[in-house]
Amino acid sequence: MLFHVRMDVRIPRDLPADEAAEILAREKAYSQELQASGKWRHIWRLAGEYANFSIFDVRDNTELHEILVGLPLFKFMEIQVTPLLRHPSSIREDDS
């Protein structure tokens, strides 16, 4: 199943710099592992915001939930999820 996910990150300003750096390093490693596996298919930064649009390709809602709550930055995020369906006019065969 494909999902469009918007993630807005709100790291507290008073979080110690070394703690923030450690969380960000774990976040990068985790997200790149998911990208390499094909589960996190696309990620785009939103210009001027600490936010991204991502496309996930996962088995079901439960797998997506487990991935999202596993994000080291999860407790600092607002997340919006939209399930995606293949459009009948699409000429692509690999977008389901």
Side-chain angles (χ1 to χ4, degrees):
M1 294 182 70
L2 295 178
F3 293 90
H4 171 268
V5 180
R6 179 183 173 126
M7 296 178 227
D8 292 272
V9 182
R10 309 268 190 269
I11 297 175
R13 294 184 187 273
D14 61 347
L15 189 68
D18 58 334
E19 186 177 342
E22 187 271 330
I23 292 169
L24 291 169
R26 287 190 295 120
E27 181 82 10
K28 183 176 183 176
Y30 182 62
S31 71
Q32 289 180 339
E33 176 184 315
L34 289 164
Q35 290 174 67
S37 77
K39 292 179 185 294
W40 197 325
R41 196 185 279 191
H42 299 282
I43 183 170
W44 294 275
R45 173 71 49 131
L46 302 181
E49 300 181 49
Y50 196 170
N52 72 73
F53 282 150
S54 293
I55 302 295
F56 286 85
D57 188 356
V58 293
R59 181 179 57 253
D60 54 25
N61 295 338
T62 300
E63 183 177 22
L64 178 64
H65 178 76
E66 291 169 356
I67 287 170
L68 295 177
V69 300
L71 291 166
L73 285 172
F74 179 76
K75 64 183 175 182
F76 304 124
M77 290 182 171
E78 292 178 25
I79 298 174
Q80 298 174 342
V81 175
T82 305
L84 300 173
L85 298 168
R86 187 173 191 282
H87 195 283
S89 297
S90 175
I91 63 169
R92 306 272 185 262
E93 294 299 323
D94 66 344
D95 64 355
S96 55

